[in-house]
């Protein structure tokens, strides 16, 4: 019969009020948990993908747009650059590997990415300490493309379009109507789900993209607003790995200064995006969550206060049995602690369920996997804050209990 | 065992409790009698330290308690004084066994590993060996008072203060509870001070103490 047991006994004795109080705490904690999980997981995933290439080179415009379009296949490309720019980059002494990509067509709103077969064998170390590798192109079935109009489709593409090995399909120009019916692609491989943007893309040779668009150009099928393709061979962007990541800024300066193109460091652009836009949203959401926690702390306080008022006699009995004022104070504070801990437990479950559900949606939408049901340092810090708020909420009722007039309360029947 | 000497306590505007002298020996059983409001319960509260005197001396087990700090008094009460109330005063969220264990929880008289065996032994002795896990709400009033008696003896207290312990019971149950209380106090050699209105109960005690006029209205006296 420790004070913990006594506190638990009283909590259990008023189950309904406890349940409602726990739920109010859980609401705030759930919101905090969901915001933390989503923010940390999206940031981690974006940054991991961003680590795949040291530099992305493309047409001049917005560096963020270039990164989003060429690494994450999320935005419209900034334009095209000459194939000769790719060749110059490929042969630069600081460059370890360079992969050209050509964007433009889609199949049922999934990007068709023209590139070189070498990209399919690209891998990188995401964690230098553990040496954990990311191999983004793993085949579930079939093989990688070898010649023009052979296509490897991402797992989400295969799932949502029903494309199988041997199936053929035709691309649509941009995201607009207008099919290239005379240039059918044949599916030769399907990728394993990787939780990356590749899940939602279709990969083929750069030659296929060029050939489709040379015919397209000839018929003058361009509509206003679409990217323009010159007769000269062009690529949308070049994904570059340097001899060392330490050379990123020097090489960025070199490209921006010496070449008529734009370079961007993917990780930096993503971090800037987080700092500028998502951090604000994150702060707003967390502020709301903490307000909910403060509101629920008031609920704890009112609940405990009412409870103390109703059981003044019980407290007097405990005093008569020899409980000190400190024992009484402690048992009430522990009640607040139990309610807060239960609220945190339920809130963690609630928040992570929301994050997991949103993660499922994000996986379908942009191929990003959110790993929910984890615990991070920031989450633990937030929970510690919630516990402190909960304990503070218990102080006033505990003080009331502490000051109980034993003789008077025992006489009251 | 208990001495109250020239003890005064103000109870309200012009209302005062005054006890010139009260003594009870070790293992003695004393019935405190008198009309309602005469000061019987106040005398018990002063002896237990739940009320503090404005002046005078209160000695329990040879120790003066009137000047003890709140904390010392809590500990002293938990170790040496047991209570049996008219309304039983069991804690509703807890089982019979837990209620008796609570009697030991707040004193340092025995190690926590002994609480459960001691509580079980006492419940067996009051005839509730089959009710360990029952909560007060599921027990009859007689059973609840038996649990309260077991709790009052949990620490092998030297003094039991009983405030009309049969006041809420029917005559048959009251007689059974009184039998039990007197028998256990005799077996444990405990001093029992029991407040009662009932002359038949008072008659079972070797000595009665008349509490009439312990509480007085000073204004009336002046007038």
């Amino acid at each position: 019969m420790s004070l913990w047991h006594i506190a638990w006994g009283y909590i259990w004795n008023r189950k309904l009020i406890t349940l409602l109080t726990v739920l109010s705490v859980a609401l705030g904690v759930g919101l905090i948990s969901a915001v933390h999980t989503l923010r940390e997981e999206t940031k981690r995933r974006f940054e991991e993908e961003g680590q795949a290439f040291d530099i992305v080179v493309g047409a001049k415009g917005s560096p963020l747009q270039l990164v989003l379009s060429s690494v994450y296949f999320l935005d419209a490309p900034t334009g095209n650059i000459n194939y000769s720019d790719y060749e110059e980059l490929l042969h630069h002494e600081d460059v370890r590997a360079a992969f050209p990509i050509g964007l433009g067509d889609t199949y049922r709103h999934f990007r068709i990415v023209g590139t070189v077969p070498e990209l399919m064998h690209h891998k990188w170390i995401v964690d230098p300490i553990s040496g954990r590798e990311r191999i983004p192109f793993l085949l579930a079935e079939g093989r990688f493309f070898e010649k023009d109009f052979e296509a490897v489709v991402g797992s989400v593409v295969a799932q949502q379009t029903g494309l199988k090995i041997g199936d053929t399909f035709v691309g649509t120009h941009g995201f607009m109507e207008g099919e290239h019916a005379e240039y059918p692609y044949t599916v030769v491989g399907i990728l394993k789900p990787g939780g990356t943007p590749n899940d939602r893309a279709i990969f083929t040779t750069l030659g296929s993209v060029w050939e489709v668009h040379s015919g397209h150009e000839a018929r003058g099928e361009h509509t206003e607003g679409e990217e323009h393709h010159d007769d000269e061979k062009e690529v949308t962007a070049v994904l570059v790995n340097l001899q060392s990541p330490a050379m990123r800024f020097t090489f960025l300066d070199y490209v921006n200064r010496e070449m008529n193109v734009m370079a961007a460091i993917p990780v930096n652009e993503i971090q800037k995006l987080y700092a500028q836009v998502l951090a604000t949203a994150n702060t707003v959401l967390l502020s709301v969550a903490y307000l909910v926690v403060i509101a629920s702390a008031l609920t704890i306080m009112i609940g405990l206060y009412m409870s103390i008022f109703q059981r003044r006699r019980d407290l007097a009995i405990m005093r008569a049995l020899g409980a000190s004022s400190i024992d009484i104070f402690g048992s009430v504070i522990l009640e607040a602690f139990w309610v807060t801990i239960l609220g945190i437990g339920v809130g963690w479950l609630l928040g992570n369920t929301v994050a997991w559900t949103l993660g499922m949606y994000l996986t379908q939408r942009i191929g990003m996997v959110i790993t929910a049901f984890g615990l991070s340092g920031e989450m633990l810090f937030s929970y510690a804050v919630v516990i402190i708020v909960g304990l503070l909420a218990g102080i006033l009722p505990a003080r009331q209990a502490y000051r109980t007039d034993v003789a008077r309360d025992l006489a009251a029947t | 065992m208990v001495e109250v000497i020239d003890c005064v306590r103000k109870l309200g505007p012009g209302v005062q409790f005054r006890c010139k002298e009260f003594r009870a020996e070790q293992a003695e059983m004393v019935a405190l009698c008198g009309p309602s409001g005469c000061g019987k319960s106040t005398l018990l509260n002063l002896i237990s330290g739940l009320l503090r005197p404005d002046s005078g001396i209160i000695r329990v087990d040879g120790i003066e308690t009137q000047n003890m700090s709140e904390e010392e008094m809590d500990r002293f009460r938990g170790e040496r004084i047991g209570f049996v109330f008219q309304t039983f005063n069991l804690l509703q969220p807890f089982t019979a066994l837990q209620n008796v264990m609570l009697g030991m929880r707040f004193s340092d008289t025995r190690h926590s590993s002994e609480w459960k065996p001691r509580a079980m032994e006492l419940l067996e002795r009051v005839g509730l060996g089959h009710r360990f896990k029952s909560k007060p709400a599921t027990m009859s009033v007689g059973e609840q008072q038996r649990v309260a008696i077991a709790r009052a003896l949990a620490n092998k207290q030297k003094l039991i203060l009983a405030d009309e312990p049969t006041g809420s019971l029917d005559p048959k149950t009251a007689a059974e509870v009184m039998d039990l209380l007197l028998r256990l106090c005799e077996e444990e050699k405990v001093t029992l001070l029991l407040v009662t209105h009932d002359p038949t109960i008072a008659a079972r005690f070797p000595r009665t103490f008349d509490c009439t006029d312990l509480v007085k209205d000073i204004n009336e006296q002046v007038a």
Side-chain angles (χ1 to χ4, degrees):
Chain A
M1 288 300 290
S2 61
L3 285 183
W4 294 92
H5 281 103
I6 295 168
W8 180 257
Y10 278 105
I11 281 177
W12 192 245
N13 198 42
R14 47 187 163 90
K15 295 183 194 69
L16 183 65
I17 291 176
T18 301
L19 180 74
L20 292 174
T21 317
V22 164
L23 281 180
S24 77
V25 177
L27 208 64
V29 172
L31 201 52
I32 291 174
S33 305
V35 171
H36 275 315
T37 303
L38 287 171
R39 190 195 58 172
E40 284 165 23
E41 281 294 305
T42 49
K43 190 171 183 219
R44 187 175 65 81
R45 283 283 167 176
F46 265 105
E47 284 183 357
E48 268 188 27
E49 293 309 315
Q51 296 286 2
F53 305 102
D54 292 318
I55 296 267
V56 178
V57 178
K60 288 185 175 177
S62 153
L64 179 63
Q65 189 185 349
L66 172 65
V67 169
L68 288 177
S69 64
S70 55
V71 178
Y72 302 97
F73 311 132
L74 284 178
D75 204 348
T78 48
N80 284 338
I81 60 173
N82 293 329
Y83 188 73
S84 56
D85 290 324
Y86 158 64
E87 288 181 316
E88 186 182 339
L89 288 164
L90 183 65
H91 295 116
H92 194 282
E93 59 179 2
D94 292 342
V95 172
R96 185 162 53 80
F99 309 98
I101 58 167
L103 305 174
D105 288 351
T106 61
Y107 172 65
R108 289 170 62 176
H109 291 88
F110 293 113
R111 277 274 179 207
I112 297 173
V113 183
T115 184
V116 289
E118 288 77 14
L119 182 63
M120 298 291 106
H121 305 287
H122 175 66
K123 60 184 178 185
W124 73 97
I125 291 172
V126 287
D127 184 359
I129 297 164
S130 67
R132 186 164 62 91
E133 275 190 332
R134 170 65 71 86
I135 307 170
F137 298 97
L138 285 171
L139 284 167
E141 53 183 312
R143 60 175 173 79
F144 290 122
F145 58 83
E146 288 167 358
K147 53 189 184 195
D148 289 351
F149 297 102
E150 287 185 344
V152 172
V153 301
S155 59
V156 174
V157 179
Q159 188 199 334
Q160 292 195 5
T161 62
L163 284 175
K164 298 184 294 293
I165 303 288
D167 286 356
T168 57
F169 64 93
V170 289
T172 306
H173 195 62
F175 285 104
M176 319 285 282
E177 291 302 316
E179 289 189 342
H180 302 297
E182 64 275 34
Y183 297 107
Y185 291 93
T186 304
V187 179
V188 296
I190 296 171
L191 294 175
K192 280 184 181 173
T196 70
N198 299 341
D199 291 350
R200 300 185 56 81
I202 298 165
F203 297 91
T204 186
T205 61
L206 203 51
S208 316
V209 175
W210 286 335
E211 196 167 333
V212 169
H213 289 95
S214 60
H216 201 68
E217 286 286 322
R219 289 192 303 280
E221 287 175 7
H222 266 299
T223 54
E224 206 174 327
E226 290 180 14
E227 63 225 66
H228 183 75
H229 304 276
D230 290 336
D231 287 340
E232 189 194 346
K233 281 182 182 176
E234 290 182 329
V235 294
T236 309
V238 182
L239 310 171
V240 178
N241 276 124
L242 300 169
Q243 300 295 352
S244 159
M247 302 163 83
R248 283 174 184 171
F249 284 102
T250 319
F251 197 76
L252 179 91
D253 283 345
Y254 162 77
V255 172
N256 287 339
R257 196 177 59 244
E258 301 293 333
M259 298 172 71
N260 192 27
V261 291
M262 178 183 67
I265 300 172
V267 172
N268 285 16
E269 294 306 319
I270 290 304
Q271 282 172 345
K272 270 192 268 178
L273 174 71
Y274 264 89
Q276 287 166 7
V277 184
L278 298 180
T280 311
N282 181 63
T283 307
V284 170
L285 281 172
L286 275 183
S287 305
V288 172
Y290 279 113
L291 278 176
V292 175
V293 167
I294 288 169
S296 56
L298 283 174
T299 315
I300 294 178
M301 192 169 79
I302 292 165
L304 275 177
Y305 207 86
M306 295 304 290
S307 160
I308 297 305
F309 188 74
Q310 284 164 356
R311 62 175 213 259
R312 280 178 307 173
R313 193 177 177 84
D314 281 19
L315 297 171
I317 295 164
M318 285 206 271
R319 287 295 307 278
L321 292 176
S324 66
S325 301
I326 299 294
D327 287 329
I328 301 291
F329 185 89
S331 73
V332 176
I333 286 285
L334 288 179
E335 279 185 51
F337 179 80
W338 274 126
V339 170
T340 312
I341 285 291
L342 284 172
I344 288 174
V346 175
W348 176 82
L349 201 66
L350 198 72
N352 279 281
T353 306
V354 170
W356 179 78
T357 313
L358 273 172
M360 297 277 280
Y361 172 75
L362 285 176
T363 306
Q364 293 293 315
R365 188 92 186 128
I366 56 171
M368 175 175 290
V369 173
I370 302 289
T371 312
F373 301 103
L375 265 180
S376 67
E378 278 189 320
M379 263 195 226
L380 289 174
F381 175 78
S382 294
Y383 295 162
V385 170
V386 175
I387 290 174
I388 290 168
V389 171
L391 292 180
L392 286 175
I395 285 180
L396 200 64
R399 192 165 164 270
Q400 180 72 15
Y402 173 93
R403 294 166 64 183
T404 185
D405 182 338
V406 188
R408 183 200 64 199
D409 292 340
L410 275 178
T413 48
Chain B
M1 178 64 196
V2 178
E3 288 175 274
V4 179
I5 301 162
D6 212 10
C7 202
V8 177
R9 161 79 194 205
K10 192 180 175 194
L11 298 176
V15 182
Q16 192 181 62
F17 171 94
R18 178 184 288 274
C19 177
K20 195 90 178 137
E21 188 178 14
F22 171 77
R23 290 175 200 276
E25 302 303 321
Q26 173 71 43
E28 192 180 7
M29 297 185 194
V30 183
L32 307 179
C33 304
S36 291
C38 71
K40 305 184 292 291
S41 297
T42 304
L43 178 59
L44 284 195
N45 285 338
L46 284 164
I47 292 169
S48 67
L50 294 176
L51 271 183
R52 297 308 187 92
D54 297 327
S55 62
I57 295 167
I58 297 172
R59 210 173 276 131
V60 177
D61 199 18
I63 299 167
E64 284 190 18
T65 62
Q66 74 275 2
N67 294 324
M68 277 186 180
S69 69
E70 191 83 351
E71 202 177 319
E72 286 170 333
M73 195 65 234
D74 289 334
R75 199 164 46 241
F76 184 82
R77 190 164 49 239
E79 288 168 5
R80 301 178 199 230
I81 304 173
F83 289 88
V84 183
F85 302 94
Q86 180 180 348
T87 47
F88 330 125
N89 283 349
L90 299 179
L91 301 180
Q92 297 299 320
F94 305 106
T95 63
L97 192 68
Q98 288 170 331
N99 263 284
V100 179
M101 285 165 73
L102 270 171
M104 292 172 266
R105 163 66 183 80
F106 298 113
S107 75
D108 298 328
T109 49
R110 51 185 79 233
H111 190 263
S112 58
S113 61
E114 295 175 47
W115 296 351
K116 198 169 178 182
R118 170 73 175 161
M120 290 166 86
E121 178 214 323
L122 282 166
L123 284 174
E124 296 276 4
R125 283 173 71 185
V126 298
L128 293 174
H130 60 298
R131 292 293 238 159
F132 289 164
K133 291 185 176 175
S134 301
K135 291 207 173 169
T138 66
M139 302 171 91
S140 70
V141 286
E143 286 175 325
Q144 288 186 54
Q145 194 59 298
R146 283 161 186 262
V147 176
I149 291 169
R151 182 179 67 184
L153 293 165
N155 288 324
K156 288 194 184 293
Q157 281 92 336
K158 294 187 171 176
L159 173 65
I160 298 286
L161 304 176
D163 195 352
E164 301 199 47
T166 57
S168 302
L169 308 176
D170 62 76
K172 183 171 173 288
T173 313
E176 287 170 4
V177 166
M178 274 314 300
D179 287 346
L180 179 72
L181 184 60
L182 292 170
R183 177 171 58 80
L184 286 175
C185 286
E186 203 172 323
E187 284 174 12
E188 300 272 329
K189 297 191 171 28
V190 174
T191 305
L192 172 66
L193 305 183
L194 184 139
V195 168
T196 184
H197 281 108
D198 188 339
T200 57
I201 289 175
R204 299 183 66 176
F205 281 72
R207 180 160 80 93
T208 57
F209 179 77
D210 185 5
C211 296
T212 310
D213 292 339
L214 284 181
V215 173
K216 285 180 179 163
D217 189 329
I218 307 166
N219 298 329
E220 276 179 20
Q221 280 183 320
V222 171

